[in-house]
Amino acid sequence: MAKRPADPTNANAPGARQVPMRDFSRSLPMSLLRAREAVMRQFRPSLREHGLTEQQWRILRALAAIEAAEVTELARTAFLLGPSLSRILRDLEARNLIERKTAKADQRRSMVSISEKGVKLMASVAPSSEAIYAEITRRFGARKLAELQEMLGQLELCLATTEARDEITDDA
Amino acid sequence: MAKRPADPTNANAPGARQVPMRDFSRSLPMSLLRAREAVMRQFRPSLREHGLTEQQWRILRALAAIEAAEVTELARTAFLLGPSLSRILRDLEARNLIERKTAKADQRRSMVSISEKGVKLMASVAPSSEAIYAEITRRFGARKLAELQEMLGQLELCLATTEARDEITDDA
DNA sequence: GGGAGATAATTAACATGTTAAGTGAATTCG
DNA sequence: CGAATTCACTTAACATGTTAATTATCTCCC
């Protein structure tokens, strides 16, 4: 009721905070979320055709680049939280796409590696995945893409230092 | 075993594809994912203290800027899929943070609006949320932040045209 | 060598992402 | 009018995100 005239900043809201919150559709988290969704929307259909989710694909890619990895290391590489990774590894193992064996030196650790079947699956997905990436690069521009990635890396870096306080004591 | 010397491109992997996939930790989806996570990691603790998830906060923010909205419109604004929104609205309504009433003209539509309690909750969260955003802006640089958002918007736009084929027939 | 603490991984519990199917109401068109 | 279609929303089913608690193992140190 009593609609105010169009005012994107909502600066005249009665009794509201003095400084209106920025139009949240233009907030940084939303911008990042939408950009990522726009990108992933390109890949998902292809992955789906091969029976893989985005996260499962990340794990296979991470494993393909190395001989074997501990779960914790894999979590860091594939940027997944432990619990998510634990579930996905269970499924991938049941599908015989990966193999695990506990480390001899430390029974707590388990070494994960991609299986032959996993390698073959990757080989069948990679071409279309590469093609999609190439198309994205073509549309957006290779140079601009590199610039964007550089900025994203800087953003990540400048925010990572927040947790430094917790780590200083560890390193000391 | 027989570890090869460090080779980020893995170009010499025996029997592997000729064109190695780019180091996936530098792929665009990963860059976007990590950047967004770095940002959200700043906000989550504050939201959590107020009993809100990131998505619930998005919905409240979206509703605060308008009088009322249909569910579909709200989904678009808060960038949530229908099923997610449906669940979250059910919970927010149970907590009396929002109100719903079915539209008179069209019984299928339901109008959602933020409640008094919801407004108060927002007011209690907004200050710290704004402070965090300001700190991010300070660290990364306001100009760079604007540049980044501009590029993200362009990326989204240049990929959105992919689905144009499906829409042409609608507009015709 | 044995108990307190640290560590690697999993499990638990709840919230959301994602696609498909279902439900009820409105619209179209014969 | 009324059957078929479309539409708005919800529910279902499964996969992942997120935090906390558990389990099993290892390390340290007395």
Side-chain angles (χ1 to χ4, degrees), chain B residues 44 48 71-72 83 86-87 100 108-110:
Chain B
R44 259 190 286 268
R48 187 172 175 73
V71 173
T72 301
S86 226
R87 281 177 304 212
R100 316 164 89 162
R108 293 172 304 180
R109 292 172 157 80
S110 94

Side-chain angles (χ1 to χ4, degrees), chain A residues 91-152:
Chain A
D91 297 345
L92 291 180
E93 188 177 22
R95 291 162 67 182
N96 294 316
L97 295 173
I98 65 165
E99 294 164 356
R100 317 163 88 162
K101 54 181 178 181
T102 59
K104 300 164 197 159
D106 188 339
Q107 301 286 42
R108 293 172 304 181
R109 292 171 157 81
S110 95
M111 304 304 291
V112 185
S113 57
I114 191 169
S115 70
E116 274 304 313
K117 188 179 171 188
V119 171
K120 286 179 186 170
L121 177 56
M122 280 206 65
S124 76
V125 180
S128 81
S129 186
E130 285 294 315
I132 293 168
Y133 203 99
E135 172 66 9
I136 292 174
T137 304
R138 188 189 68 73
R139 288 197 187 199
F140 190 61
R143 183 155 316 180
K144 250 168 100 175
L145 183 54
E147 275 180 48
L148 174 57
Q149 303 224 45
E150 171 65 19
M151 293 188 86
L152 291 172

Side-chain angles (χ1 to χ4, degrees), chain A residues 3, chain B residues 63 66-71 73-74 89 93 98-114:
Chain A
K3 266 199 174 174
Chain B
L63 286 177
I66 56 182
E67 300 296 328
E70 301 173 12
V71 173
E73 179 190 355
L74 187 55
L89 288 181
E93 188 178 22
I98 65 165
E99 294 163 356
R100 316 164 89 162
K101 54 180 178 182
T102 58
K104 301 164 198 159
D106 188 339
Q107 299 287 39
R108 293 172 304 180
R109 292 172 157 80
S110 94
M111 304 303 291
V112 185
S113 58
I114 191 168

Side-chain angles (χ1 to χ4, degrees), chain B residues 9-146:
Chain B
T9 66
N10 204 19
N12 299 319
R17 41 199 153 52
Q18 301 287 17
V19 180
M21 205 161 302
R22 92 202 71 257
D23 178 1
F24 95 117
S25 71
R26 284 170 210 157
S27 71
L28 181 57
M30 281 298 283
S31 294
L32 289 166
L33 179 58
R34 292 205 295 223
R36 184 172 144 78
E37 176 54 27
V39 172
M40 287 316 301
R41 199 194 310 280
Q42 315 295 315
F43 288 99
R44 259 190 286 268
S46 164
L47 290 177
R48 187 172 175 73
E49 281 179 12
H50 294 277
L52 288 176
T53 65
E54 173 197 338
Q55 292 82 358
Q56 292 165 353
W57 176 238
R58 284 220 300 275
I59 293 173
L60 290 184
R61 283 193 68 177
L63 286 177
I66 56 182
E67 300 296 328
E70 301 173 12
V71 173
T72 301
E73 179 190 355
L74 187 55
R76 195 169 34 76
T77 306
F79 208 69
L80 292 168
L81 293 178
S84 294
L85 183 54
S86 226
R87 281 177 304 212
I88 301 174
L89 288 181
R90 169 163 42 78
D91 298 345
L92 291 180
E93 188 178 22
R95 291 161 66 182
N96 294 316
L97 295 173
I98 65 165
E99 294 163 356
R100 316 164 89 162
K101 54 180 178 182
T102 58
K104 301 164 198 159
D106 188 339
Q107 299 287 39
R108 293 172 304 180
R109 292 172 157 80
S110 94
M111 304 303 291
V112 185
S113 58
I114 191 168
S115 70
E116 275 304 314
K117 189 178 171 189
V119 172
K120 287 179 185 171
L121 178 56
M122 279 206 67
S124 76
V125 180
S128 80
S129 186
E130 285 295 314
I132 293 168
Y133 203 100
E135 172 66 10
I136 292 173
T137 304
R138 189 190 65 75
R139 288 195 186 200
F140 190 61
R143 182 154 318 178
K144 249 167 102 175
L145 183 54

Side-chain angles (χ1 to χ4, degrees), chain A residues 58-69 74 77 114 119 122, chain B residues 3-4 7-11 13 17 21-25:
Chain A
R58 286 220 299 276
I59 293 174
L60 291 184
R61 282 192 69 177
L63 286 177
I66 56 182
E67 301 294 328
L74 186 55
T77 306
I114 191 169
V119 171
M122 280 206 65
Chain B
K3 268 199 174 173
R4 293 178 300 281
D7 176 5
T9 66
N10 204 19
R17 41 199 153 52
M21 205 161 302
R22 92 202 71 257
D23 178 1
F24 95 117
S25 71

